Amino acid sequence: RAPTPEGLARRFAVYRNTAAVTRARALAQRFAVIERLLGAEFFAALAAEFIARHPPQSPVLHEWGAEFPMFLKHFLPLAGYPYLADVARIDWARGEAFHAPDAAALAPARLAGADPETLRLGLHPALRWLALDTPAVAIWAQNQPGAAPAALPPGGQIALIWRRANFSVPVRAITAGEAGFLAALAAGAPLAAAAARALPTDPTALLLELHLGGALIESQPPC
C-alpha cells in the first residue's frame, strides 16, 4: 500500500529530528570543552543555531564545523567571553590532527652527527600551532577530566597540537620563539637557522619532544 501524505510527513519529521540530534551530538563531540564550559542545555540551543546557519555539506561529519570558532566569536550572547572562540580553535585543530594523513617518523639516527647548518627537517602533517589572543590553552587544560583549577596566565598563548603514535592528541603552550622555530622548519630552513629564529628560547627540549613523539619527518623537496 502506498504511504499517505500524512505518513510521509511524519516519517520526514522523524528523520529531520534524528538528523538534527545526530548533528548536534557530533558538534558536541568535536567541541567537547565548549559544551563543558557552557553546559549541555545551552550548547544544544547554540548547536541548533549553528546548524541552521552552517548545515553540513558532506555526510562525513568530522569534516564539518570549521566555521564554529568564528560563529562563537560573533555570537552576541557570548560577546563577553572571547576565549570561547580560541578554545574552539583548539578543539577543531585537535580533530584535524587526529584525522591528518600519516607519515613515517624521522629515524632516531638521523639527528646523530648531522650538520645543523645543512640538516633540514620536515614536520608531521598532524602537527600544528595556533596563536591565540587569550589564555585558551590553560582554559582548555583546566577543563579536562580530573584537572585542577589554577590561575590563568595573562595575555594570549600559542597552542602546540600533534598526534602521537597511540593516537592521543596533546595540547600544550609554547613560546613565540618556539613557534618561530617551527615556522622556520616548515619553510625549509636548516636546523641551525631555524634555531636562531627561536632566540632567546633554546628549542632543544622542543626538538627532542617532537622527535620522540614522532612529529618530525624527512624534509620534502620543493615541488
Side-chain angles (χ1 to χ4, degrees):
R1 187 177 62 178
T4 64
E6 293 79 7
L8 287 174
R10 283 194 299 271
R11 290 183 188 180
F12 181 73
V14 169
Y15 166 78
R16 184 171 55 187
N17 183 63
T18 302
V21 170
T22 299
R23 292 169 180 176
R25 290 316 307 158
L27 200 68
Q29 290 172 5
R30 190 66 183 266
F31 298 97
V33 177
I34 299 298
E35 185 186 39
R36 196 169 297 127
L37 286 165
L38 296 178
E41 185 176 356
F42 189 100
F43 188 90
L46 184 72
E49 183 72 20
F50 177 75
I51 292 167
R53 299 188 192 184
H54 303 280
Q57 302 301 308
S58 163
V60 183
L61 288 181
H62 76 74
E63 298 176 351
W64 167 64
E67 302 92 348
F68 193 63
M70 191 60 65
F71 169 80
L72 291 176
K73 185 174 183 178
H74 296 291
F75 190 60
L76 287 180
L78 298 177
Y81 306 92
Y83 61 85
L84 289 172
D86 281 346
V87 171
R89 289 181 65 197
I90 293 174
D91 273 340
W92 178 256
R94 289 186 74 245
E96 286 187 317
F98 183 84
H99 292 288
D102 204 1
L106 194 72
R110 187 72 172 85
L111 290 178
D115 182 359
E117 297 292 339
T118 59
L119 177 64
R120 286 176 167 82
L121 301 172
L123 301 178
H124 194 284
L127 182 72
R128 56 211 65 227
W129 58 98
L130 308 172
L132 307 166
D133 295 327
T134 64
V137 176
I139 294 170
W140 185 92
Q142 289 183 30
N143 282 277
Q144 298 307 301
L152 296 176
Q157 291 183 296
I158 302 174
L160 177 68
I161 299 165
W162 78 98
R163 185 186 69 221
R164 293 191 176 120
N166 64 0
F167 283 90
S168 63
V169 184
V171 177
R172 77 168 183 85
I174 59 173
T175 67
E178 289 172 324
F181 170 68
L182 294 176
L185 289 181
L191 180 57
R197 288 279 303 276
L199 295 175
T201 302
D202 182 352
T204 303
L206 175 61
L207 183 69
L208 180 60
E209 179 183 9
L210 295 180
H211 190 33
L212 294 176
L216 297 180
I217 61 174
E218 288 288 347
S219 177
Q220 300 300 311
C223 297

